[in-house]
Amino acid sequence: MMVSVFAILITACTSTFTIISDYDKTADFGSYTTYNYLPGADSLMGPGASRLKTLTEDYLSLLGYRKSDTPDLFISILGNVKQRVGYSSNSPGYGGYYGGYYGYGGWDSYTTSYVYNQTTIMIDLVDASKKKLVWQGGATGEFDQYSIKDSKLKKMVDEIFGKYPYQAGSNTCLLY
């Protein structure tokens, strides 16, 4: 019993995430060299938003983009948290057989449930002149946006932007 409770706690506290991304293959990425945040659209993520913004800006800087009051790209960062229920089963195998006549009778097997937060973070890049979404990257998983460690948040942003296909001012795709 103690082992299964420990396994549930470990699963519920881990910062695993799935990275997703897509981009407009017809967009002229060679014309994008500057960025800023979409006017009036701030992150809905709470306390982790400023850390996420800083990491996003750091990554864009590495790709050669610079922040500008008249940007080529607008950034929108959105977050969403949904409570989910997870299940864990225990099938003890040999040695878990007990009860019944002379100590034999049934398997000690059970399923437990636990509640966790499924967090989704999306980073959108919008062509400022055309007002058109040109790239979207995100992460979904069992992590808490309020207490995720900086190292894991950095890893998540690195993985999201690892799916971004272009350096500033270039139409040469880095992914293929």
Side-chain angles (χ1 to χ4, degrees):
M1 171 79 169
M2 189 61 149
V3 173
S4 64
V5 170
F6 181 71
I8 290 170
L9 289 175
I10 292 295
T11 303
C13 295
T14 59
S15 297
T16 58
F17 39 83
T18 301
I19 303 300
I20 55 175
S21 75
D22 196 12
Y23 68 101
D24 180 354
K25 292 163 184 62
T26 65
D28 181 13
F29 283 87
S31 67
Y32 307 137
T33 59
T34 59
Y35 71 91
N36 209 328
Y37 293 92
L38 190 63
D42 205 350
S43 173
L44 302 175
M45 292 181 41
S50 63
R51 294 185 300 154
L52 188 60
K53 285 181 178 182
T54 299
L55 290 168
T56 297
E57 290 181 21
D58 290 349
Y59 209 96
L60 287 173
S61 178
L62 286 174
L63 291 172
Y65 293 89
R66 57 185 171 41
K67 197 170 185 179
S68 170
D69 290 334
T70 56
D72 304 317
L73 293 170
F74 284 125
I75 301 172
S76 175
I77 301 174
L78 300 171
N80 184 13
V81 179
K82 292 181 181 178
Q83 279 198 331
R84 300 284 191 205
V85 177
Y87 298 94
S88 177
S89 294
N90 176 28
S91 296
Y94 190 80
Y97 202 65
Y98 73 99
Y101 192 68
Y102 293 111
Y104 299 100
W107 288 99
D108 181 16
S109 177
Y110 55 90
T111 300
T112 57
S113 65
Y114 60 96
V115 176
Y116 67 93
N117 287 336
Q118 179 183 26
T119 303
T120 300
I121 295 172
M122 297 303 295
I123 302 172
D124 296 340
L125 298 182
V126 177
D127 183 304
S129 64
K130 295 178 182 175
K131 308 290 189 267
K132 181 180 175 186
L133 181 67
V134 294
W135 182 81
Q136 185 174 60
T140 299
E142 292 181 42
F143 58 93
D144 186 349
Q145 80 230 6
Y146 301 109
S147 63
I148 188 171
K149 294 183 184 206
D150 286 343
S151 61
K152 292 197 187 267
L153 189 61
K154 182 181 182 329
K155 180 181 186 302
M156 182 181 67
V157 171
D158 286 349
E159 288 187 24
I160 290 170
F161 277 104
K163 302 282 187 180
Y164 184 72
Y166 298 99
Q167 288 188 321
S170 172
N171 271 324
T172 304
C173 185
L174 302 171
L175 297 179
Y176 309 103

